[in-house]
Amino acid sequence: MQIELNGEPRTLGEDRTLTDLVESLGLAGRRIAIEVNEEIVPRSQHAQTRLNAGDRVEIVHAIGGG
Amino acid sequence: MSLPFEDSPLTVAGRRFASRLLVGTGKYRDVEETGAAIAASGADVVTFAVRRTNLGQNPDEANLLDTISPERYTLLPNTAGCYTAKDAVRTCRLARELLDGHNLVKLEVLGDEKTLYPNVVETLAAAETLVNDGFDVMVYTSDDPIVAKELERRGCCAIMPLGSLIGSGNGLLNPATLALILEQAEVPVLVDAGIGTASDAALAMEMGCDGVLMNSAIAHATHPVMMANAMRKAIEAGREAYLAERMPRRAQASPSSPFAGRINA
């Protein structure tokens, strides 16, 4: 299935959770925050949150700024 | 040093900070320089931006939050780069998740890329949404006293007017309007944006500002760590001068040495 990840199309296998996605991106244990379809998904719910085709996922982190 | 008065700490939304200098983390050469400059500044509150994580690139990229540890500093996520209330609110919610529920944010909603001037219409809308959603909102705004009051009415916990355009280093271009904001404010007022050098920061504090937030003035100095140290002293000097209450200005001279006892009298 295809999702939109940080503004880019991305193909994933079926039946993937947010935790699966985070691990496949090498981001496990990193300080990140995730939004699916403009709603925050708290870290505690990543494992139960299944992705659906067409979902728009944003993964963000802290960077230098003023 | 013992002074004949005791200053109260900067208090924003019930949080107390020893330093009245707040600093940004952008534009430094690397995270080591960022960390050294922030340590030299003595700041307790450090602001950062929220951006999409680079996927598939630099998996070992240094994480800003490893250098600027949430245990040591009060982190202040900002909405820099947002041009709509909607994007600013989303960014704050992402930041709250990033920091495990920490709800103090710096709201800025910009008007255009040339001036980075605040869009006050979007800023007011975002402020209202964020306050209702439980955020403590420190808000970057224009130096318009009416807008400042409206933001305060919407529950913002600190008003942060620009001294001049973001990153311009032009200092306080309109001290008269800043004075109007200071006179009416019932929440802390901090100058955010435009500081160029130590005297700009000192002037803001001498006028009675509760603090100053800066980034470029330190990061873009030739020697950022030295400038951070200078800014720490400027903020302290300006604050003490404000509390000490300056002498009145006079049109005429007034000799510092007594007339009596001169050898030619």
Side-chain angles (χ1 to χ4, degrees), chain B residues 122-154:
Chain B
E122 294 292 315
T123 303
L124 286 161
E128 191 154 343
T129 304
L130 289 168
V131 169
N132 289 336
D133 194 15
F135 284 95
D136 291 330
V137 180
M138 303 178 73
V139 60
Y140 169 65
T141 185
S142 58
D143 59 0
D144 178 332
I146 307 303
V147 173
K149 200 34 127 182
E150 290 293 334
L151 287 164
E152 201 178 312
R153 283 206 188 102
R154 280 162 180 73

Side-chain angles (χ1 to χ4, degrees), chain A residues 5-7 25 27 30-35 38 40-43 58-66, chain B residues 24-26 47-53 55 59 61 64-65 78 86 90 93-94 97-98 100 106 215:
Chain A
L5 177 59
N6 284 4
L25 295 168
L27 296 173
R30 304 291 290 270
R31 205 180 261 273
I32 53 172
I34 304 184
E35 201 187 51
E38 302 190 6
I40 300 292
V41 182
R43 207 161 298 141
E58 295 283 350
I59 303 182
V60 302
H61 69 315
I63 66 151
Chain B
T25 50
T47 185
F48 69 87
V50 175
R51 290 291 180 274
R52 285 173 167 167
T53 302
L55 301 172
E61 184 185 21
L64 181 72
L65 299 184
N78 65 57
K86 183 187 167 193
R90 280 176 70 191
R93 289 178 176 151
L94 282 163
E97 164 66 11
L98 196 58
D100 305 315
K106 169 183 153 177
N215 187 340

Side-chain angles (χ1 to χ4, degrees), chain B residues 91-103:
Chain B
T91 300
C92 288
R93 289 178 176 151
L94 282 163
R96 182 165 61 182
E97 164 66 11
L98 196 58
L99 297 179
D100 305 315
H102 170 79
N103 69 343

Side-chain angles (χ1 to χ4, degrees), chain A residues 17-56:
Chain A
T17 66
L18 270 186
T19 299
D20 296 334
L21 177 64
V22 167
E23 283 174 359
S24 73
L25 295 168
L27 296 173
R30 304 291 290 270
R31 205 180 261 273
I32 53 172
I34 304 184
E35 201 187 51
V36 178
N37 301 329
E38 302 190 6
E39 293 291 331
I40 300 292
V41 182
R43 207 161 298 141
S44 59
Q45 292 172 24
H46 288 184
Q48 304 95 282
T49 302
R50 297 199 177 280
L51 289 164
N52 296 303
D55 278 349
R56 284 167 295 124

Side-chain angles (χ1 to χ4, degrees), chain B residues 169-212:
Chain B
N170 278 321
L172 305 186
L173 288 186
N174 201 340
T177 50
L178 179 59
L180 291 173
I181 293 173
L182 287 166
E183 194 184 313
Q184 70 180 12
E186 288 168 37
V187 296
V189 175
L190 296 89
V191 166
D192 176 5
I195 298 298
T197 189
S199 54
D200 299 330
L203 176 59
M205 296 309 294
E206 286 171 21
M207 288 180 62
C209 288
D210 297 279
V212 176

Side-chain angles (χ1 to χ4, degrees), chain B:
Chain B
M1 180 175 51
S2 114
L3 294 169
F5 58 81
E6 202 157 324
D7 193 5
S8 49
L10 169 63
T11 304
V12 178
R15 298 168 169 85
R16 296 151 71 88
F17 305 112
S19 173
R20 291 174 179 273
L21 173 56
L22 291 73
V23 295
T25 50
K27 300 180 173 174
Y28 286 97
R29 270 185 281 270
D30 49 42
V31 288
E32 287 74 29
E33 188 182 68
T34 311
I38 290 168
S41 77
D44 297 311
V45 181
V46 178
T47 185
F48 69 87
V50 175
R51 290 291 180 274
R52 285 173 167 167
T53 302
N54 281 334
L55 301 172
Q57 305 160 30
N58 303 328
D60 298 320
E61 184 185 21
N63 186 333
L64 181 72
L65 299 184
D66 295 336
T67 305
I68 310 303
S69 121
E71 286 75 46
R72 176 164 173 197
Y73 297 103
T74 295
L75 295 177
L76 181 65
N78 65 57
T79 63
C82 292
Y83 287 81
T84 63
K86 183 187 167 193
D87 284 351
V89 169
R90 280 176 70 191
T91 300
C92 288
R93 289 178 176 151
L94 282 163
R96 182 165 61 182
E97 164 66 11
L98 196 58
L99 297 179
D100 305 315
H102 170 79
N103 69 343
L104 183 69
V105 293
K106 169 183 153 177
L107 171 64
E108 65 176 88
V109 189
L110 304 174
D112 69 35
E113 288 179 23
K114 183 180 173 192
T115 64
L116 300 179
Y117 211 75
N119 180 328
V120 296
V121 176
E122 294 292 315
T123 303
L124 286 161
E128 191 154 343
T129 304
L130 289 168
V131 169
N132 289 336
D133 194 15
F135 284 95
D136 291 330
V137 180
M138 303 178 73
V139 60
Y140 169 65
T141 185
S142 58
D143 59 0
D144 178 332
I146 307 303
V147 173
K149 200 34 127 182
E150 290 293 334
L151 287 164
E152 201 178 312
R153 283 206 188 102
R154 280 162 180 73
C156 291
C157 64
I159 305 298
M160 304 203 291
L162 49 76
S164 50
L165 300 184
I166 291 175
S168 71
N170 278 321
L172 305 186
L173 288 186
N174 201 340
T177 50
L178 179 59
L180 291 173
I181 293 173
L182 287 166
E183 194 184 313
Q184 70 180 12
E186 288 168 37
V187 296
V189 175
L190 296 89
V191 166
D192 176 5
I195 298 298
T197 189
S199 54
D200 299 330
L203 176 59
M205 296 309 294
E206 286 171 21
M207 288 180 62
C209 288
D210 297 279
V212 176
L213 195 161
M214 67 179 76
N215 187 340
S216 306
I218 297 174
H220 276 184
T222 302
H223 301 293
V225 178
M226 190 184 284
M227 185 59 91
N229 196 45
M231 289 300 185
R232 177 179 56 75
K233 292 189 272 193
I235 294 286
E236 287 174 7
R239 176 66 181 176
E240 286 176 21
Y242 168 71
L243 293 171
E245 299 177 8
R246 59 153 299 153
M247 63 164 283
R249 292 180 194 274
R250 299 174 198 275
Q252 269 89 43
S254 166
S256 296
S257 310
F259 268 96
R262 289 170 298 151
I263 56 171
N264 57 350

